[in-house]
Amino acid sequence: MNPLLKVDNLAVSFTTEAGSFRVVDDVSFTLYAGQTLGLVGESGCGKSVTALSLLGLLPKPAGKVVAGQAFFQDQDLLTLTAKQRYQVRGNQIAMIFQEPMTALNPVHTIGRQLMEVYQLHRPQMSKREQQAAALEMLQQVGIPEANARLKAYPHQLSGGMRQRVMIAMALACEPDLLICDEPTTALDVTIQAQILHLIKALQQKNGMAVIFITHDLGVVAQICDQVLVMYAGRSVEQAPVISLYEAPSHPYTQGLLASIARLDRVSKTQLATIPGQVPSLEEQRVGCRFANRCQYRSDICEQQPEVEQVAELHTVWCHHWQECAS
């Protein structure tokens, strides 16, 4: 089976007053239809930038894709013209953004914003058909009294409701790929579980692939098939979700997993932490970028690690992965 999306050696550069820096460097992954890939890592590791670069939404002129390929259904997303990108965005690839209150327009009703998706991508539909389709999408994502919600403004809805509206807008054109950029971060645990269940149910119904961006490994365990762990703009480990949890082979992945609160731990036990902090753009190392925080570091870490095969579909970028995994 051919992959739906194949990203090879993606690199993104940002230009600042201090110079030009690679915020994403040599990232590769493959995604098949119906699969969910989790992009995991601390804030600032390049997860969102990776997704935005695929859609051509990097801030201009600061952000720029400087290397790599991203083949989606046999077309390289990174070489598309503005008109071609317009046809792909929202139609074949859709994105749910992190904060729905800033993603939705506060001065337009929910109905008008949802109908706009059909006006842009399904211009052959009449206004009545667009309104009926918008109502159906709100019902599909579980919004009660959907007809009344069409006339509501974003501030009149709760955070969970607004996020459901964003999901409805993203799925309106039945995309082949859905990118979720931390869609549950600002929601309480109960609403978060409902949103995750909704995304999974709609994915199974429509057969779409999902890229799920998060820093929460608990969420990853619930929803993802494959996981790509990123640190300071680079891939550090990629594996099926079960393999990653059972046999993490990078010290950073082990640190992330150790920091999760667990029910089987003694009450009030102090959570494990990773010493140090993510290097700034100016401080990024030539070799392994995690070396200054790693207990296994040695002189060889001054060289950039090559990809190592741990098991089937399980790869790691670490000089000391065998020592770490033992």
Side-chain angles (χ1 to χ4, degrees):
M1 182 171 62
N2 293 329
L4 178 70
L5 175 66
K6 192 174 191 304
V7 177
D8 290 320
N9 310 116
L10 176 67
V12 178
S13 174
F14 270 53
T15 302
T16 69
E17 293 180 356
S20 182
F21 303 94
R22 285 200 175 190
V23 295
V24 171
D25 192 6
D26 198 26
V27 169
S28 301
F29 59 86
T30 301
L31 184 63
Y32 291 88
Q35 227 180 23
T36 300
L37 171 71
L39 292 185
V40 179
E42 295 175 70
S43 295
C45 72
K47 306 184 299 294
S48 296
V49 171
T50 298
L52 292 174
S53 64
L54 299 178
L55 291 174
L57 294 176
L58 291 172
K60 302 290 184 181
K64 184 179 180 182
V65 176
V66 293
Q69 297 174 311
F71 283 98
F72 175 77
Q73 296 180 339
D74 298 326
Q75 56 181 346
D76 189 353
L77 296 173
L78 307 181
T79 61
L80 297 182
T81 64
K83 185 176 181 180
Q84 288 172 324
R85 279 205 185 100
Y86 179 83
Q87 294 298 322
V88 169
R89 280 199 298 254
N91 199 21
Q92 295 172 279
I93 304 177
M95 187 165 182
I96 304 171
F97 295 94
Q98 184 170 350
E99 178 43 64
M101 197 61 209
T102 57
L104 292 169
N105 192 322
V107 300
H108 293 307
T109 64
I110 297 302
R112 178 170 178 177
Q113 294 182 66
L114 192 46
M115 288 171 63
E116 187 177 14
V117 177
Y118 297 107
Q119 291 167 6
L120 293 172
H121 297 290
R122 301 288 188 270
Q124 72 277 10
M125 295 175 67
S126 67
K127 189 173 181 179
R128 179 173 292 182
E129 289 173 332
Q130 292 169 2
Q131 188 169 5
L135 177 61
E136 183 181 349
M137 282 308 306
L138 290 186
Q139 292 170 337
Q140 191 173 341
V141 298
I143 291 183
E145 300 178 3
N147 203 28
R149 305 298 180 189
L150 287 174
K151 302 172 185 176
Y153 289 87
H155 72 272
Q156 295 175 303
L157 304 182
S158 66
M161 287 276 198
R162 289 196 293 266
Q163 198 59 283
R164 287 173 185 267
V165 171
M166 291 299 300
I167 294 172
M169 292 175 69
L171 298 180
C173 293
E174 300 182 355
D176 299 304
L177 173 61
L178 177 66
I179 301 174
C180 304
D181 189 1
E182 302 197 39
T184 61
T185 299
L187 306 177
D188 63 54
V189 178
T190 305
I191 302 301
Q192 173 178 290
Q194 293 175 1
I195 295 298
L196 293 178
H197 177 74
L198 173 62
I199 291 173
K200 197 70 178 175
L202 292 173
Q203 179 188 22
Q204 291 172 350
K205 179 182 177 181
N206 301 332
M208 64 187 175
V210 176
I211 295 177
F212 201 95
I213 300 169
T214 183
H215 58 266
D216 188 337
L217 283 165
V219 170
V220 168
Q222 285 181 261
I223 201 168
C224 296
D225 303 305
Q226 290 276 333
V227 188
L228 175 62
V229 183
M230 297 180 65
Y231 181 82
R234 286 184 183 162
S235 306
V236 295
E237 189 164 5
Q238 183 172 8
V241 66
I242 295 175
S243 179
L244 187 86
Y245 280 75
E246 290 183 346
S249 300
H250 194 283
Y252 179 60
T253 309
Q254 290 185 344
L256 289 178
L257 290 171
S259 67
I260 300 174
R262 298 173 60 97
L263 292 174
D264 57 1
R265 285 182 181 156
V266 178
S267 178
K268 298 183 180 179
T269 301
Q270 187 173 1
L271 289 175
T273 59
I274 302 174
Q277 58 185 11
V278 180
S280 66
L281 293 175
E282 293 86 351
E283 298 170 336
Q284 285 180 352
R285 300 165 55 88
V286 174
C288 175
R289 292 181 179 176
F290 187 66
N292 65 324
R293 305 175 71 184
C294 181
Q295 60 179 317
Y296 301 102
R297 64 181 175 271
S298 65
D299 291 342
I300 197 174
C301 298
E302 296 299 322
Q303 303 172 25
Q304 184 173 336
E306 298 292 330
V307 62
E308 303 282 353
Q309 194 77 32
V310 177
E312 186 180 3
L313 303 178
H314 190 162
T315 53
V316 66
W317 288 259
C318 180
H319 295 293
H320 299 286
W321 72 270
Q322 291 174 310
E323 182 183 354
C324 177
S326 62

